[in-house]
Amino acid sequence: MTENAQQQPPAPSTELPTQYAPADVEGPLYERWVERGYFAADEKSEKPPYTIVIPPPNVTGSLHLGHAFQHTLMDALTRRKRMQGYESLWLPGMDHAGIATQNKVEQQLAEEGKSRHDLGREEFVERVWQWKEEYGGKILGQMRRLGDGVDWNRERFTMDEGLSKAVLTIFKKLYDDELIYRAERIINWCPRCLTAISDIEVEYQEDDGELISIKYGEGDDTLVVATTRAETMLGDTAVAVHPDDERYRHLIGKRIKLPLTDRHIPVVADSHVDPEFGTGAVKVTPAHDPNDFAIGQRHGLESITVMDERAVITAHGPFQGLDRFEARSAIVGALRSQGRIVAEKRPYVHSVGHCSRCKTTIEPRLSMQWWVKVGPLAKAAGDAVRDGRVKIHPEDMSKRYFDWVDNMNDWCISRQLWWGHRIPVWYGPDGEIVCVGPDEEPPTGEGWTQDTDVLDTWFSSGLWPFSTLGWPEQSADLRKFYSTDVLLTGHDIIFFWVARMMMFGLYAMDGEVPFKTIALTGLVRDERGKKMSKSFGNVVDPLDWMDKYGSDAVRFTLARGANPGTDVPIGEDWVQASRNFANKIWNATRFAMMNGATVEGPLPDPADMSATDRWILSRLNKTVADVDAFYEDFQFAKLSDALYHFAWDEVFDWYVELSKTTFAAGGASAEVSKRVLGEVLDVTLKLLHPVVPFVTETLWTTLTGGESVVVADWPGDSGFRDAAAEQEIAVLQQVITEVRRFRADQGLQPGQRVPARLKLDGTALAPHEPAIRQLLRLQPEGETFSATATLPVAGAEVALDLSGAIDVAAERKRLAKDLAAAEKEKSQATAKLGNEAFLAKAPDQVVDKIRGRLAKADEDIARITAQLERLPQA
């Protein structure tokens, strides 16, 4: 904690405004927390460490609901651990986002009529840094709005000096260990961004295309292949068939004519071909398809590239210079004129990859790139989970993790960009290749040049758990806070980010895992469970909801929907309900303080407490234990729900209401209850704080006079339980609930008072008569009392005089009408369910609906009949 944090805070106000206004509270409160150093972790502290590194958002990004969701959960974890006495570090930072950021700056240049090539590499990179300083990092300010309790002193950026050194260090180490190599392979290529892109940067969608069946060969040596990319046939170097396919056995080993060219290509036998699919023969284009490349490798086929980096045809002939889609149409036309088209299917809907940044159709392309040999790294990543060093939560997600790491292909790490970590390899005039580490001088002299590519953004973000703590230096932060405790992230990037961090962490840190637990969340969806997308028009800016309802309301809504590994639906109505909960906490605490709730002095002896006092303390300790267990199991939805129902239902709706008569009576019992209520509010606000930090901070400091709930002690379960008190209050609640229901059934207004006689002798309810009368608005019976309705409940009896409260004749008439309608509904449903002809023809869902109507009619008849029986005679 910083020096500022040691200073005495100003004395808190002893009064609360009548209404909670989040907009007036949240901003100043957050800045006060930061100024006092509450979120700053001390690497010299003797407290046990608890570390989470934030999944670094893109420098180009802004806060979306997915960020708000995961940040809320990470903040809750770290706030709780801080209160539990841990040296809690939540480390923030941003990713340089190679393609996305370069595109932003190139768009700026285009508006000026320039390209990056007009500037040159050095000037362009400088321009990107300028953009980053001016426009980047917008999300960091938005994180403050949300209340993220991160250590801003340790903020990192994947292109800062320390992290850049880490990138160069691990590249050199992997290169020296022969785990990085350069080779020509098929990659995802974006013809607009002009770079290879990773699998995660490819978005697949169903496109309307065409499936063209083409006859290859002449005379008896012909076969038919089908393709959705006719333009690639110019690069075919074989046709493949299954070795056991009798239809083509006579052609295997022969060379056949490739249409539109002067080339003959072989027919090869390969077990990869599915003889049941299509014609059982496939064209092989090794330079433009990953599966074809593998076939080509097995059979020693030539790889002919027929498109340049912009997807323009380069093959000699009439199609040279055409864009790939123009060439597709022209080639199909030429084949049709030669009678080579056997069949055409349009539209042919199939899955097509698009660049996630610019939406351009991806082109598989043979290209010289840098690769990581992932075999030994992936095995180590799998072993760390299998042997229990790393836990995946929920456990059933482990299978997806193993499916990936056990079958991982070598990773293409080079990108044809200018913004990013440049590959530290130099090429000499005589074919020399030299990899240069961070503390080494690159070779100089005529003919020496550095590789022009940069590294995949995932390469640097894969180092995040340890590079952010100072690696490769053996820093105090690294010694104190590595390995991190929890990685909380969406299940959608388990393959692309989680696995890479596991591989690099184990490799760089001599087998020490980068995190002990991987807590996987679902994705945020709209209230109907639909994916949020601009094209669907259902994307929500969480800042709009924060402005309208407050950050606590957004946080609580997200946490309350967070079941491990499952998607989270969210709608504005739910945020509004959470705002109402924050207001309920505010109003109830304000009422309690106005009535003397206090935290001063020790808790009274249970022997001096009423059953109501002992009940709420028993329920409080049960809630503390439940919340702790849910936190350890990452059950944010369950812990939020437990707190919601305890606070609203048990504390505010029952204990506060039951205590009103005690407070009104005064005396020793009132003083005991005021202290109990203060204790309950103190603990409840602490339990709620990690999820709803702003409203709880304001209320807790006002209630207790404490410095800040951020650095208060987390509540412990005292072990106090009182089953007898819990049973007694449960009976009391039953009586009050049933009489309230009867009053409502009779049409009485909630505040309407009626005379009543209570027979409570011989039950545990006798001491509660004042509270029962207060909560049920029951007057003393008086001299003219006439019991027109009697309710036996839980061994007690409540007799009511309704003669002056309701128009009995009118009420009987209304109920008789409702009863007739229910009986008619029952008769109709019974008749249909008794009709065998109807049951034989009706769909199951229709029959189920009628059965539901019958059950509802039976319930209504029983309820209305009981109401009529309870009414006095007219």
Side-chain angles (χ1 to χ4, degrees):
M1 195 176 296
T2 67
E3 185 177 343
N4 287 339
Q6 303 298 332
Q7 298 174 1
Q8 288 297 316
S13 169
T14 56
E15 295 185 1
L16 292 167
T18 55
Q19 290 185 325
Y20 176 50
D24 297 338
V25 171
E26 294 175 351
L29 196 54
Y30 185 85
E31 293 309 316
R32 194 180 314 147
W33 289 334
V34 174
E35 288 167 7
R36 292 180 177 179
Y38 294 153
F39 306 140
D42 183 359
E43 73 279 4
K44 298 177 182 177
S45 168
E46 294 184 2
K47 296 178 183 179
Y50 184 81
T51 314
I52 294 180
V53 291
I54 200 167
N58 287 353
V59 67
T60 60
S62 59
L63 190 76
H64 57 63
L65 273 175
H67 290 129
F69 171 52
Q70 293 181 0
H71 287 209
T72 294
L73 305 187
M74 286 184 278
D75 196 30
L77 291 173
T78 50
R79 283 179 182 268
R80 171 175 174 262
K81 285 295 184 179
R82 187 178 293 112
M83 295 173 73
Q84 286 183 313
Y86 287 79
E87 196 61 37
S88 189
L89 170 61
W90 186 20
L91 193 149
M94 291 184 299
D95 190 281
H96 65 278
I99 294 178
T101 310
Q102 180 157 322
N103 279 349
K104 289 280 187 183
V105 179
E106 289 198 81
Q107 288 167 12
Q108 272 191 349
L109 289 173
E111 292 171 3
E112 300 170 13
K114 299 178 182 178
S115 75
R116 60 176 160 134
H117 299 285
D118 294 323
L119 273 64
R121 185 170 191 137
E122 288 187 12
E123 190 177 341
F124 176 77
V125 170
E126 179 59 32
R127 179 74 175 257
V128 179
W129 277 107
Q130 292 172 8
W131 181 93
K132 185 257 182 187
E133 294 304 318
E134 186 172 356
Y135 301 105
K138 177 182 178 182
I139 192 173
L140 300 178
Q142 295 168 340
M143 287 162 55
R144 302 170 92 94
R145 281 285 314 277
L146 188 64
D148 282 9
V150 297
D151 186 346
W152 292 110
N153 300 323
R154 287 179 165 86
E155 180 190 334
R156 303 306 299 267
F157 179 54
T158 49
M159 288 282 285
D160 69 28
E161 184 178 354
L163 269 63
S164 295
K165 182 176 182 180
V167 168
L168 297 177
T169 300
I170 201 160
F171 187 100
K172 171 70 171 173
K173 180 174 171 60
L174 288 163
Y175 182 88
D176 290 346
D177 288 344
E178 298 183 350
L179 293 173
I180 281 184
Y181 64 94
R182 193 169 184 244
E184 199 173 36
R185 301 274 182 83
I186 294 285
I187 44 87
N188 299 310
W189 181 266
C190 177
R192 186 209 167 277
C193 297
L194 300 180
T195 181
I197 65 174
S198 65
D199 290 341
I200 198 172
E201 291 163 326
V202 179
E203 293 180 347
Y204 288 91
Q205 66 185 47
E206 297 296 307
D207 285 359
D208 286 346
E210 58 185 14
L211 183 66
I212 307 298
S213 297
I214 310 167
K215 182 172 65 175
Y216 280 30
E218 303 286 355
D220 294 334
D221 296 341
T222 62
L223 39 68
V224 175
V225 301
T227 181
T228 58
R229 300 165 67 218
E231 68 279 8
T232 63
M233 68 168 293
L234 300 176
D236 286 359
T237 55
V239 173
V241 298
H242 194 277
D244 298 331
D245 194 331
E246 292 294 337
R247 293 171 295 175
Y248 305 118
R249 188 180 293 276
H250 68 288
L251 291 176
I252 295 174
K254 287 188 176 183
R255 300 180 70 84
I256 62 173
K257 178 73 184 304
L258 177 64
L260 305 183
T261 72
D262 294 327
R263 294 190 291 117
H264 284 72
I265 57 176
V267 177
V268 299
D270 196 283
S271 57
H272 169 78
V273 178
D274 180 1
E276 301 299 322
F277 182 77
T279 64
V282 297
K283 59 191 287 298
V284 181
T285 320
H288 293 279
D289 183 275
N291 293 324
D292 292 3
F293 179 78
I295 293 175
Q297 292 288 99
R298 288 194 289 271
H299 296 277
L301 300 176
E302 182 183 4
S303 294
I304 301 176
T305 299
V306 297
M307 283 181 240
D308 66 11
E309 61 184 8
R310 298 183 185 275
V312 172
I313 301 298
T314 57
H316 291 299
F319 312 108
Q320 187 174 6
L322 295 180
D323 171 80
R324 54 182 165 164
F325 300 121
E326 295 172 336
R328 180 178 301 174
S329 177
I331 287 170
V332 170
L335 290 168
R336 189 183 296 112
S337 67
Q338 292 184 8
R340 293 275 179 179
I341 301 296
V342 175
E344 300 179 58
K345 184 176 182 181
R346 295 187 186 89
Y348 179 72
V349 179
H350 60 137
S351 181
V352 178
H354 296 259
C355 175
S356 62
R357 303 297 176 191
C358 68
K359 311 309 176 187
T360 300
T361 301
I362 291 301
E363 190 64 45
R365 185 169 188 258
L366 184 62
S367 180
M368 182 66 75
Q369 302 285 345
W370 285 94
W371 304 81
V372 172
K373 187 185 296 182
V374 300
L377 303 174
K379 182 181 183 304
D383 290 345
V385 175
R386 287 189 169 95
D387 64 24
R389 283 176 290 156
V390 177
K391 304 288 187 185
I392 292 180
H393 188 89
E395 190 176 353
D396 58 11
M397 286 283 182
S398 297
K399 182 180 183 302
R400 297 180 65 181
Y401 175 81
F402 291 131
D403 285 346
W404 180 251
V405 297
D406 293 346
N407 301 286
M408 194 182 295
N409 296 317
D410 284 359
W411 170 20
C412 176
I413 56 172
S414 46
R415 298 291 180 267
Q416 290 65 54
L417 304 171
W418 286 357
W419 172 244
H421 297 102
R422 195 165 173 182
I423 289 177
V425 171
W426 271 255
Y427 305 106
D430 299 318
E432 303 96 331
I433 300 178
V434 176
C435 179
V436 178
D439 300 318
E440 299 173 351
E441 291 294 326
T444 58
E446 187 176 350
W448 282 93
T449 58
Q450 186 178 358
D451 196 300
T452 57
D453 289 351
V454 299
L455 287 163
D456 178 10
T457 297
W458 295 100
F459 190 94
S460 51
S461 59
L463 315 181
W464 193 249
F466 53 94
S467 64
T468 51
L469 296 173
W471 187 92
E473 308 302 329
Q474 292 303 306
S475 65
D477 275 3
L478 195 65
R479 290 191 296 271
K480 175 71 175 178
F481 296 112
Y482 190 87
S483 60
T484 68
D485 288 87
V486 177
L487 171 72
L488 190 145
T489 191
H491 62 65
D492 57 323
I493 58 171
I494 186 172
F495 316 130
F496 307 106
W497 188 47
V498 177
R500 283 160 170 68
M501 287 190 290
M502 284 285 283
M503 292 191 302
F504 280 170
L506 291 162
Y507 175 74
M509 298 300 294
D510 298 321
E512 192 174 358
V513 297
F515 22 75
K516 302 175 185 75
T517 300
I518 301 169
L520 296 170
T521 70
L523 308 179
V524 179
R525 297 183 177 272
D526 72 11
E527 64 267 35
R528 296 178 181 83
K530 194 173 184 180
K531 179 182 177 181
M532 287 193 175
S533 166
K534 290 180 181 178
S535 61
F536 296 154
N538 62 351
V539 173
V540 173
D541 185 345
L543 296 171
D544 292 341
W545 281 352
M546 288 184 211
D547 290 341
K548 195 171 182 180
Y549 303 110
S551 297
D552 283 334
V554 175
R555 290 171 61 114
F556 192 72
T557 305
L558 290 164
R560 204 172 178 194
N563 291 298
T566 60
D567 290 347
V568 183
I570 184 172
E572 187 168 2
D573 288 350
W574 306 338
V575 184
Q576 186 172 349
S578 295
R579 188 272 312 273
N580 295 345
F581 178 51
N583 288 343
K584 182 76 171 182
I585 300 169
W586 182 273
N587 293 334
T589 304
R590 183 173 179 272
F591 170 85
M593 292 181 64
M594 290 171 62
N595 283 272
T598 179
V599 297
E600 294 181 5
L603 271 176
D605 190 288
D608 297 327
M609 297 179 187
S610 67
T612 310
D613 295 330
R614 297 194 307 276
W615 162 74
I616 197 62
L617 288 176
S618 182
R619 296 298 304 151
L620 175 68
N621 280 290
K622 172 66 163 56
T623 302
V624 171
D626 287 346
V627 168
D628 277 333
F630 290 142
Y631 262 115
E632 295 307 311
D633 200 33
F634 302 98
Q635 297 280 359
F636 295 98
K638 289 182 178 179
L639 73 89
S640 299
D641 216 44
L643 287 169
Y644 176 90
H645 288 294
F646 174 71
W648 192 308
D649 300 346
E650 299 188 280
V651 179
F652 305 145
D653 279 359
W654 284 107
Y655 183 69
V656 169
E657 293 300 316
L658 289 169
S659 298
K660 284 180 179 179
T661 52
T662 306
F663 294 155
S669 295
E671 295 307 310
V672 169
S673 291
K674 289 175 184 177
R675 178 64 188 91
V676 170
L677 179 55
E679 180 73 12
V680 171
L681 289 174
D682 176 15
V683 173
T684 302
L685 291 170
K686 288 177 179 177
L687 292 174
L688 282 165
H689 173 73
V691 180
V692 284
F694 294 107
V695 67
T696 52
E697 170 79 343
T698 307
L699 293 173
W700 187 87
T701 53
T702 307
L703 171 71
T704 68
E707 177 186 348
S708 171
V709 71
V710 177
V711 291
D713 291 336
W714 182 255
D717 176 8
S718 70
F720 177 79
R721 301 287 192 280
D722 193 323
E726 291 201 35
Q727 177 61 30
E728 181 174 327
I729 301 304
V731 172
L732 174 61
Q733 290 171 328
Q734 181 185 355
V735 171
I736 292 172
T737 300
E738 292 198 21
V739 176
R740 278 177 173 167
R741 184 181 297 118
F742 175 76
R743 286 176 55 107
D745 287 344
Q746 304 310 311
L748 295 176
Q749 296 300 313
Q752 188 174 352
R753 293 188 173 276
V754 296
R757 177 188 299 138
L758 306 184
K759 291 185 179 180
L760 307 176
D761 295 342
T763 74
L765 297 174
H768 299 289
E769 181 168 349
I772 293 173
R773 286 189 175 276
Q774 173 65 26
L775 292 178
L776 291 174
R777 304 295 190 266
L778 303 179
Q779 296 175 339
E781 51 195 273
E783 295 181 2
T784 61
F785 179 82
S786 175
T788 58
T790 302
L791 284 75
V793 185
E797 186 177 279
V798 178
L800 302 175
D801 183 353
L802 303 178
S803 57
I806 60 173
D807 184 335
V808 175
E811 186 64 14
R812 281 189 174 278
K813 185 176 181 181
R814 182 185 71 80
L815 290 173
K817 183 178 179 182
D818 290 347
L819 181 61
E823 287 174 340
K824 181 180 179 181
E825 175 72 5
K826 178 178 180 178
S827 176
Q828 291 175 341
T830 301
K832 284 190 175 182
L833 293 174
N835 185 333
E836 294 295 335
F838 169 78
L839 293 177
K841 295 179 180 178
D844 290 345
Q845 61 267 30
V846 172
V847 175
D848 289 342
K849 186 175 182 180
I850 294 172
R851 286 183 178 133
R853 284 167 49 193
L854 177 61
K856 175 67 167 52
D858 282 334
E859 291 174 5
D860 290 344
I861 291 168
R863 174 179 55 81
I864 297 168
T865 301
Q867 288 176 241
L868 283 166
E869 290 173 351
R870 288 170 178 167
L871 278 175
Q873 295 300 314

